């Protein structure tokens, strides 16, 4: 793609999300979502093969449907409240429709079906943008309407997402699908605590973005998209096997790594609000996630995975320079002792 | 009839939307889009929006739809699909018509339709026309406000249109 056009379109993706996050008028928010969607389609289609076309089409269809549902919820809200400001959704119907629309945009269950298929069809860098940047805009709207979301629907979607994200990722060997299911599960954790303490949603989003960014950078560095290909990194750059180990365990939520911090805070917040069964279930279902992360670490760092002899050496392309990889790795694994700093968020 | 003109026009509006949503060939879709554009213009004009109705005819029908018609005429196939040529298309069209007829009967039978919000056929149309500002026509003031208070909207929508063109060119370019 022409570099100037590519830069323009990438800046429009950023601009769309910024407009969504900074607007107080519902129509501008909708315009921001549409701008974001329109501009990310050619980024998803950077390579011209049928898989990317199909993935971009699926993404476009689901996100456009979600935008239409959002517009309907905005208009119902307008009819019942007579104003366009984004403070509180005044009508339960509008609130439910809006929650469903934003859940479709995020990839929460029962609207999660597009996430693995779209993530699998596109390149690693596009998948990175899809799973991290594209989650910011809908999550910011959910944060802003959080007092008026129907709690039953939200918690149902959250718990089902954690379940689907854990269960669905179990049989996968393609790394992009594993990351997609991990994204579904993390979105479930984020929306579970949204009604109780939205600050923790933002904290979880921040740490999730750092960890996903790190994982994708490590995958891009070793140019691997399958488990088998990742298991050959001991041959290419042995250091990244350790880094993959640490980051994956952090994503699974193991103390003393920083991925434990959001899970710990969320469980604490939920139990403070007198729900015991829910966080127990969520913690148990996070084990499913941990299982397939552990399987990745087993094949990558802990063992020299069996393969045929002529596949043991990976072809040494020119080493990709991944900027910010060391700080990202440090941030996604060593942030746990900084947890008391969360008190400044009051 | 004039008291119910908005209702009649809105029924024709929905029927023509069903007409192109049932996906005949784009040529026929463009045909019902002309009808729906004209009827939509009539609905807006009934609320005093003569400028906006003129915009619909000039820009939408006379500009965008003409270009669409020409490009479709260049790309059309030998036997384009009509509503009666394909069972699926006809089925969807009839289903949409049936739903519209049932909705119209529901509205005509009971004074109120309470599907998602309470809506009574003629009365509520008048209520949403709030704020009688007397001398000035609200709609021209609205257009003026678009360029003064709403300058940011103009910038954002203008940029979206530009990026839309870039995106479409990029997507259809191929390798």
């Amino acid at each position: 793609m022409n570099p100037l056009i590519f830069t323009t379109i990438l800046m429009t993706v950023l601009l769309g999300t910024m407009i969504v996050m900074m607007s107080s008028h519902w129509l501008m928010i909708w315009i921001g979502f549409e701008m974001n969607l329109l501009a990310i389609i050619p980024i998803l289609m950077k390579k011209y093969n049928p898989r990317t076309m199909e993935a971009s089409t699926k993404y476009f269809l689901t996100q456009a449907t979600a935008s239409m549902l959002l517009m309907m919820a905005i208009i119902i809200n307008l009819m019942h409240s007579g104003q366009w400001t984004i403070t509180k959704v005044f009508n339960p119907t509008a609130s439910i429709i809006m929650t469903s629309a934003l859940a479709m945009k995020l990839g929460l269950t029962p609207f999660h079906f597009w996430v693995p298929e779209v993530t699998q069809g596109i390149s690693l860098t596009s998948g990175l943008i899809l799973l991290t940047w594209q989650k910011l805009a809908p999550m910011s709207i959910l944060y802003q309407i959080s007092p008026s979301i129907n709690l039953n629907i939200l918690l149902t979607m959250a718990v089902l997402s954690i379940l689907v994200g854990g269960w669905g990722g179990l049989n996968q060997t393609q790394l992009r699908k594993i990351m997609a299911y991990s994204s579904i599960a993390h979105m479930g954790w984020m929306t579970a605590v949204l009604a109780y303490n939205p600050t923790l949603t933002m904290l979880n989003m921040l740490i999730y973005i750092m960890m996903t960014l790190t994982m994708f950078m490590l995958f891009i560095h070793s140019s691997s998209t399958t488990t088998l290909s990742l298991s050959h990194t001991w041959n290419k750059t042995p250091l990244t096997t350790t880094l993959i180990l640490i980051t994956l365990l952090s994503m699974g939520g193991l103390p003393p790594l920083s991925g434990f911090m959001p899970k710990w805070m969320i469980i604490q917040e939920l139990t403070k609000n007198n729900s015991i069964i829910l966080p127990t279930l969520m913690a148990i279902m996070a084990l499913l996630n941990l299982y397939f992360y552990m399987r990745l670490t087993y094949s990558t760092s802990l063992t020299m995975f069996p393969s045929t002899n002529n596949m043991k050496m990976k072809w040494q392309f020119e080493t990709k320079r991944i900027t910010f990889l060391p700080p990202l790795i440090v941030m996604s694994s060593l942030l746990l002792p900084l947890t008391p700093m969360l008190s400044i968020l009051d | 009839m004039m008291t119910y003109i908005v209702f009649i026009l809105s029924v024709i509006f929905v029927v023509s939307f069903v007409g192109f949503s049932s996906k005949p060939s784009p040529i026929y879709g463009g045909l019902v889009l002309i009808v729906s554009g004209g009827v939509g213009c009539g609905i807006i004009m009934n609320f005093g929006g003569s400028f906006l109705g003129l915009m619909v005819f000039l820009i939408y029908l006379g500009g965008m739809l003409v270009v669409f018609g020409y490009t479709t005429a260049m790309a059309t196939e030998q036997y384009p699909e009509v509503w009666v040529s394909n069972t699926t298309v006809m089925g969807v069209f009839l289903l949409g018509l049936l739903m519209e007829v049932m909705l119209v009967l529901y509205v005509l039978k009971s004074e109120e339709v309470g599907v998602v919000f309470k809506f009574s056929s003629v009365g509520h149309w008048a209520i949403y026309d709030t704020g009688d500002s007397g001398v000035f026509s609200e709609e021209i003031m609205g257009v003026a406000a678009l360029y003064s208070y709403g300058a940011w909207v103009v910038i954002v929508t203008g940029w979206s249109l530009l990026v839309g063109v870039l995106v479409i060119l990029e997507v259809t370019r191929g390798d």
Side-chain angles (χ1 to χ4, degrees):
Chain A
M1 218 195 279
N2 184 0
L4 180 62
I5 306 284
F6 182 65
T7 314
T8 312
I9 289 180
L10 201 60
M11 287 302 122
T12 311
V13 174
L14 267 56
L15 181 64
T17 309
M18 286 292 123
I19 288 178
V20 169
M21 299 207 290
M22 291 191 309
S23 293
S24 53
H25 194 279
W26 274 118
L27 193 63
M28 290 306 292
I29 289 171
W30 183 83
I31 291 178
F33 272 123
E34 293 297 293
M35 195 193 278
N36 194 6
L37 172 62
L38 194 64
I40 205 174
I41 294 296
I43 295 181
L44 296 184
M45 281 174 60
K46 256 199 314 190
K47 296 194 176 105
Y48 284 98
N49 53 44
R51 279 164 296 287
T52 52
M53 306 287 181
E54 187 186 332
S56 317
T57 313
K58 280 181 191 161
Y59 185 67
F60 182 77
L61 286 176
T62 52
Q63 299 284 304
T65 313
S67 286
M68 285 299 115
L69 280 176
L70 183 68
M71 182 49 108
M72 182 153 102
I74 292 173
I75 292 182
I76 296 176
N77 184 29
L78 174 69
M79 290 200 129
H80 282 269
S81 66
Q83 48 92 29
W84 289 92
T85 51
I86 180 177
T87 49
K88 184 172 127 71
V89 182
F90 285 95
N91 186 19
T93 313
S95 166
I96 294 176
I97 296 179
M98 200 174 285
T99 314
S100 317
L102 293 170
M104 275 179 86
K105 284 198 174 284
L106 279 176
L108 288 173
T109 313
F111 309 114
H112 66 278
F113 293 101
W114 60 270
V115 187
E117 299 178 17
V118 172
T119 319
Q120 178 62 28
I122 55 185
S123 64
L124 276 171
T125 322
S126 307
L128 170 66
I129 299 179
L130 186 78
L131 287 183
T132 53
W133 184 259
Q134 296 294 89
K135 311 287 180 196
L136 281 177
M139 198 49 91
S140 76
I141 301 300
L142 273 177
Y143 181 94
Q144 285 173 303
I145 64 170
S146 60
S148 36
I149 303 183
N150 186 353
L151 195 64
N152 295 322
I153 292 187
L154 193 69
L155 286 179
T156 313
M157 284 201 292
V159 167
L160 283 178
S161 299
I162 302 174
L163 191 58
V164 163
W167 233 340
L170 280 182
N171 200 20
Q172 308 295 338
T173 53
Q174 295 282 336
L175 292 178
R176 287 170 287 184
K177 278 201 168 124
I178 287 181
M179 294 310 294
Y181 281 107
S182 134
S183 150
I184 298 174
H186 277 107
M187 289 298 135
W189 276 91
M190 282 183 230
T191 48
V193 80
L194 187 67
Y196 298 105
N197 190 356
T199 315
L200 291 179
T201 307
M202 288 299 133
L203 172 75
N204 198 350
M205 172 68 85
L206 185 67
I207 296 192
Y208 161 72
I209 287 181
M210 278 195 296
M211 293 190 298
T212 310
L213 211 58
T214 314
M215 273 325 293
F216 266 102
M217 295 293 192
L218 288 167
F219 292 158
I220 290 172
H221 178 74
S222 51
S223 300
S224 48
T225 54
T226 60
T227 312
L228 187 61
S229 166
L230 192 68
S231 65
H232 292 143
T233 49
W234 63 267
N235 207 345
K236 191 173 172 193
T237 38
L239 179 61
T240 54
T241 56
T242 320
L243 300 174
I244 288 175
L245 169 77
I246 298 178
T247 317
L248 276 173
L249 291 182
S250 180
M251 283 190 90
L254 285 185
L257 302 171
S258 54
F260 178 59
M261 178 173 16
K263 290 196 165 59
W264 172 22
M265 294 283 109
I266 288 175
I267 292 180
Q268 185 171 14
E269 197 63 35
L270 282 172
T271 50
K272 271 190 217 165
N273 279 290
N274 283 329
S275 72
I276 314 285
I277 304 181
L278 186 71
T280 313
L281 274 179
M282 280 163 58
I284 292 177
M285 292 190 291
L287 287 176
L288 292 168
N289 259 326
L290 186 62
Y291 174 68
F292 59 78
Y293 296 142
M294 283 298 304
R295 192 168 51 193
L296 269 184
T297 63
Y298 178 77
S299 68
T300 311
S301 4
L302 300 179
T303 57
M304 287 162 91
F305 207 61
S307 60
T308 51
N309 271 336
N310 60 350
M311 273 182 69
K312 283 206 197 303
M313 299 288 290
K314 266 185 109 136
W315 184 252
Q316 299 272 3
F317 288 109
E318 184 185 296
T319 312
K320 296 187 169 78
R321 178 175 313 166
I322 315 275
T323 41
F324 293 123
L325 188 55
L328 272 178
I329 293 173
V330 167
M331 279 205 291
S332 65
S333 39
L334 296 176
L335 276 186
L336 191 63
L338 291 180
T339 311
M341 274 182 66
L342 288 180
S343 56
I344 63 170
L345 288 170
D346 261 332
Chain B
M1 187 193 84
M2 278 312 279
T3 49
Y4 298 111
I5 187 71
V6 174
F7 183 62
I8 295 174
L9 286 178
S10 70
V11 170
I12 305 177
F13 193 65
V14 174
V15 167
S16 43
F17 263 59
V18 169
F20 70 75
S21 305
S22 51
K23 282 187 279 291
S25 159
I27 285 285
Y28 295 103
L31 183 66
V32 291
L33 263 181
I34 296 177
V35 173
S36 72
V39 165
C41 166
I43 296 178
I44 304 176
M45 287 208 297
N46 270 299
F47 290 103
S50 48
F51 179 65
L52 290 173
L54 187 65
M55 281 301 113
V56 168
F57 261 108
L58 272 179
I59 310 297
Y60 184 68
L61 295 185
M64 300 200 281
L65 208 59
V66 163
V67 173
F68 173 72
Y70 274 115
T71 52
T72 318
M74 279 201 291
T76 190
E77 56 217 5
Q78 200 183 10
Y79 295 106
E81 246 175 51
V82 201
W83 292 280
V84 296
S85 69
N86 189 359
T87 323
T88 317
V89 175
M90 186 159 73
V92 174
F93 182 58
L94 288 179
L95 181 68
L97 268 185
L98 182 72
M99 296 203 56
E100 174 64 11
V101 163
M102 291 207 313
L103 188 65
V104 165
L105 286 177
Y106 182 20
V107 168
L108 289 179
K109 268 294 168 57
S110 60
E111 274 309 305
E112 275 200 334
V113 174
V115 175
V116 178
F117 45 85
K118 291 264 185 285
F119 181 80
S120 101
S121 70
V122 182
H124 271 202
W125 282 112
I127 290 180
Y128 289 130
D129 194 11
T130 56
D132 190 21
S133 61
V135 183
F136 303 112
S137 154
E138 275 177 356
E139 154 232 21
I140 299 286
M141 289 302 117
V143 174
L146 178 66
Y147 289 98
S148 60
Y149 300 114
W152 177 237
V153 178
V154 174
I155 294 172
V156 166
T157 44
W159 181 253
S160 313
L161 289 175
L162 173 68
V163 170
V165 171
L166 289 178
V167 161
I168 289 177
L169 285 177
E170 195 53 53
V171 164
T172 53
R173 191 167 63 127
D175 211 348

